[in-house]
Amino acid sequence: MARPDKAAAVAELTDKFRSSNAAVLTEYRGLTVAQLKTLRRSLGENAQYAVVKNTLTKIAANEAGITLDDQLFAGPTAVAFVTGDPVESAKGLRDFAKENPNLVIKGGVLEGKALSADEIKKLADLESREVLLSKLAGAFKAKQSQAASVFQALPSKLVRTVDALRAKQDEQGGAE
């Protein structure tokens, strides 16, 4: 029978997997406590970085309906549970790993879909949600301006055409 403390740990990890938008599994072997503290700060406010037991984490992921490769659970493991923008946290992990090669990104999960380490690095290369939304808003605004110009041009073109027809009729009427 499972010990109550382990059952509670599995339940807590299961809740974290379910309530997170993303989770990134890392190997932290060789990092100091100070470096881990710096890493936690670099992830942003919407991420929680926790050192976990592999067996309990695997059980919790399965209970949350997430299937992860067994290779992700080799060696000491820590998980970054992301409740906000996953791009911001992925960038924090990537940048920290560049400065501290002891941090190895193993893989993770994004909205229930398993991701490889390379896919997480690609996610880190994306622009943040706010930047993408502002670009989208700018594109919509540009299209509205173009539409307004087209709608404004039609009546003025019509007026010029009518004036040209009148002038032509006046010339033809005066020539007869």
Side-chain angles (χ1 to χ4, degrees):
M1 179 150 221
R3 290 191 354 216
D5 58 334
K6 287 186 179 182
V10 168
E12 182 182 347
L13 287 170
T14 302
D15 287 342
K16 285 182 181 180
F17 273 114
R18 287 183 179 150
S19 63
S20 299
N21 297 338
V24 180
L25 283 80
T26 64
E27 182 175 326
Y28 63 94
R29 186 184 329 217
L31 293 176
T32 65
V33 173
Q35 288 172 322
L36 287 173
K37 189 175 182 181
T38 304
L39 172 59
R40 285 184 174 99
R41 275 195 228 116
S42 71
L43 292 177
E45 295 176 9
N46 298 323
Q48 184 180 23
Y49 190 74
V51 175
V52 294
K53 291 189 179 275
N54 290 336
T55 307
L56 301 181
T57 305
K58 187 174 180 181
I59 293 168
N62 287 335
E63 285 184 9
I66 299 168
T67 305
L68 295 172
D69 189 12
D70 289 341
Q71 294 176 350
L72 295 177
F73 299 103
T77 304
V79 182
F81 293 102
V82 183
T83 55
D85 186 11
V87 174
E88 178 185 347
S89 297
K91 284 181 183 191
L93 285 168
R94 178 200 60 197
D95 295 344
F96 187 86
K98 282 181 184 177
E99 295 173 12
N100 301 284
N102 287 335
L103 180 74
V104 178
I105 298 172
K106 296 180 181 181
V109 62
L110 176 64
E111 296 179 0
K113 181 186 176 281
L115 298 176
S116 68
D118 290 335
E119 290 172 321
I120 291 172
K121 289 174 185 170
K122 287 179 185 176
L123 181 66
D125 291 336
L126 291 176
E127 292 175 330
S128 70
R129 183 176 189 270
E130 290 78 20
V131 171
L132 292 175
L133 287 175
S134 65
K135 284 185 176 183
L136 182 63
F140 281 142
K141 184 177 179 184
K143 291 297 177 189
Q144 288 175 344
S145 297
Q146 289 173 350
S149 298
V150 168
F151 292 137
Q152 205 171 27
L154 289 175
S156 63
K157 187 174 182 181
L158 177 65
V159 169
R160 286 193 302 271
T161 304
V162 169
D163 284 344
L165 281 174
R166 247 190 237 142
K168 189 173 185 180
Q169 285 178 348
D170 289 343
E171 285 178 16
Q172 288 176 355
E176 290 177 13

